[in-house]
C-alpha cells in the first residue's frame, strides 16, 4: 500500500472516531519539480471528501 494510501486510511479512521464528514491531510512533499496542481487535490473516501495538501 503506498504511503499516501495508508495516510488516507488513517485519516478516514480518525474521521470515523470523530464522526467527521470531511477531513484534511497534509503531506510534506519536498519534490520542488512537482507542480502545485499535483500537490493539492481532493480524494473521496466512503463518500466523504478529504482535501490533501502537499507542502
Amino acid at each position: 500500500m503506498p504511503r499516501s494510501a495508508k495516510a488516507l486510511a488513517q485519516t478516514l479512521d480518525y474521521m470515523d472516531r470523530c464522526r467527521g464528514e470531511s477531513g484534511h491531510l497534509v503531506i510534506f512533499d519536498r519534490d520542488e519539480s512537482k507542480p502545485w496542481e499535483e500537490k493539492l487535490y481532493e480524494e473521496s473516501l466512503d463518500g466523504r471528501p478529504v482535501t490533501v495538501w502537499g507542502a
Side-chain angles (χ1 to χ4, degrees), residues 22-41:
S22 63
H24 293 266
L25 172 63
V26 177
I27 298 176
F28 293 95
D29 185 345
R30 295 183 172 205
D31 184 355
E32 293 180 9
S33 67
K34 190 182 292 185
W36 279 106
E37 292 80 20
E38 291 181 25
K39 291 185 176 188
L40 176 63
Y41 57 95

Side-chain angles (χ1 to χ4, degrees), residues 3-55:
R3 194 169 24 177
S4 60
K6 288 177 72 174
L8 285 168
Q10 182 180 16
T11 302
L12 182 62
D13 180 57
Y14 183 72
M15 289 167 55
D16 285 343
R17 289 186 279 140
C18 296
R19 298 184 181 165
E21 295 180 13
S22 63
H24 293 266
L25 172 63
V26 177
I27 298 176
F28 293 95
D29 185 345
R30 295 183 172 205
D31 184 355
E32 293 180 9
S33 67
K34 190 182 292 185
W36 279 106
E37 292 80 20
E38 291 181 25
K39 291 185 176 188
L40 176 63
Y41 57 95
E42 190 166 26
E43 291 279 338
S44 180
L45 299 171
D46 290 345
R48 293 179 288 171
V50 176
T51 303
V52 180
W53 304 84

